[in-house]
């Protein structure tokens, strides 16, 4: 709904801008030749393309073509062209206007793609920093849920892990999730991300980024498990050392009285 409303305003803006440009040039028609007017029409076409994109730019170029013909090519107020030079001007104008719209549209799309990639890289970096040093699965799930919520502006996000409780931001709705992404490694599935957002529809770029989030989280969970396993191994190693020290101490303490008893027994036996 919001997107369609925005498009409506863009089309309305383009029509109003072409109308204002035509009105201004109309009052200067006696002082400007047709070629100058055609060149000046390229300015609003460029502005419209920068705001609304390629399709709107080409539409405004076609609209400008007809207004140029109707108001500035003799005979006025008709779409007929009597002079070959005027026909050349109109043809060149239309070609240049369409090419200009295409170039500006491609440039705008390139800037938008670059901004999207920069935003994705920033979000991935923020998640990586947030996951660094976390060895608790619940903390990892909480961090992931917050990052996904911040990225998608979703109604609800739930992160389910096999070995810990689910993290829900906020309480999940009663309907089925709009997106389900698995958190998995090459060997097994560690959990899943459930996302609820009816409007606007989740884009392919957002899905790709959430899948990347899930991959990073899987690595963080694997790292946490390895850290926990290493900690348990160290605890067992220290426990074995403590047991050995206790046994050594006990054996030493027992060896001294046994030696005394053995010496006393030998002395008694020799006295007999």
């Amino acid at each position: 709904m919001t997107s369609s409303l925005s498009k409506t305003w863009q089309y309305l803006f383009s029509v109003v801008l072409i109308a204002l440009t035509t009105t201004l040039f109309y009052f200067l028609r006696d002082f400007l030749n047709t070629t100058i007017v055609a060149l000046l029409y390229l300015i609003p076409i460029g502005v419209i393309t920068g705001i609304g994109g390629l399709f709107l730019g080409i539409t405004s170029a076609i609209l400008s073509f007809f207004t140029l013909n109707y108001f500035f090519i003799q005979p006025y107020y008709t779409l007929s062209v009597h002079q070959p030079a005027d026909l050349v001007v109109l043809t060149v104008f239309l070609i240049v206007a369409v090419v200009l719209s295409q170039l500006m549209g491609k440039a705008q799309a390139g800037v938008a793609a670059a901004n999207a990639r920069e935003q994705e890289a920033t979000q991935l970096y923020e998640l990586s920093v947030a996951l660094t040093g976390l060895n608790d699965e619940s903390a990892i799930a909480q961090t992931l849920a917050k990052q996904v919520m911040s990225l998608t502006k979703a109604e609800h996000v739930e992160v389910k892990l096999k070995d810990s409780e689910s993290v829900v931001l906020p309480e999940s709705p009663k309907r089925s999730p709009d997106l389900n992404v698995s958190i998995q490694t090459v060997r097994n599935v560690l959990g899943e991300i459930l996302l609820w957002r009816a409007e606007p529809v989740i884009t392919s770029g957002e899905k790709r980024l959430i899948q990347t989030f899930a991959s990073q989280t899987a690595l963080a969970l694997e790292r946490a498990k390895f850290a926990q396993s290493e900690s348990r191994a160290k605890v067992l190693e220290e426990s074995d050392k403590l047991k050995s020290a206790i046994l050594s101490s006990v054996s030493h303490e027992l060896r001294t009285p046994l030696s005394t008893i053995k010496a006393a027994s030998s002395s008694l036996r020799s006295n007999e």
Side-chain angles (χ1 to χ4, degrees), residues 60-75:
S60 64
I62 295 174
L63 178 61
S64 299
F65 171 82
F66 285 110
T67 56
L68 177 65
N69 188 3
Y70 191 81
F71 290 103
F72 300 98
I73 300 294
Q74 294 183 357

Side-chain angles (χ1 to χ4, degrees), residues 42-191:
L42 296 177
I43 297 174
I45 293 174
V47 173
I48 292 170
T49 305
I51 294 175
L54 175 60
F55 182 77
L56 195 59
I58 292 177
T59 303
S60 64
I62 295 174
L63 178 61
S64 299
F65 171 82
F66 285 110
T67 56
L68 177 65
N69 188 3
Y70 191 81
F71 290 103
F72 300 98
I73 300 294
Q74 294 183 357
Y76 298 138
Y77 315 120
T78 67
L79 295 179
S80 61
V81 180
H82 294 172
Q83 298 295 327
D86 292 335
L87 181 61
V88 171
V89 170
L90 282 173
T91 303
V92 171
F93 167 77
L94 182 60
I95 294 173
V96 171
V98 170
V99 171
L100 176 64
S101 299
Q102 289 179 332
L103 292 176
M104 291 198 64
K106 289 180 179 179
Q108 185 184 34
V111 170
N115 290 335
R117 287 194 296 269
E118 181 182 0
Q119 185 178 7
E120 289 181 6
T122 301
Q123 290 164 339
L124 288 173
Y125 174 75
E126 290 176 353
L127 179 62
S128 299
V129 171
L131 292 176
T132 301
L134 294 180
N135 293 326
D136 180 69
E137 292 186 354
S138 298
I140 292 174
Q142 185 78 21
T143 300
L144 174 62
K146 289 180 179 179
Q147 290 290 332
V148 173
M149 177 68 77
S150 175
L151 166 68
T152 61
K153 303 297 186 292
E155 302 171 39
H156 305 279
V157 173
E158 181 175 356
V159 177
K160 291 183 177 181
L161 299 181
K162 283 188 174 181
D163 300 329
S164 62
E165 295 183 357
S166 299
V167 174
V168 182
L169 295 177
E171 184 179 354
S172 301
K174 302 304 180 183
R175 69 177 192 275
S176 300
D178 299 301
L179 180 65
N180 187 332
V181 177
S182 296
I183 303 172
Q184 62 184 27
T185 61
V186 177
R187 294 175 294 178
N188 54 4
V189 177
L190 304 178

Side-chain angles (χ1 to χ4, degrees), residues 1-16 51 56:
M1 182 67 179
T2 305
S3 177
S4 61
L5 185 62
S6 177
K7 285 292 184 184
T8 301
W9 280 109
Q10 288 176 359
Y11 278 106
L12 182 60
F13 171 77
S14 64
V15 171
V16 170
I51 294 175
L56 195 59

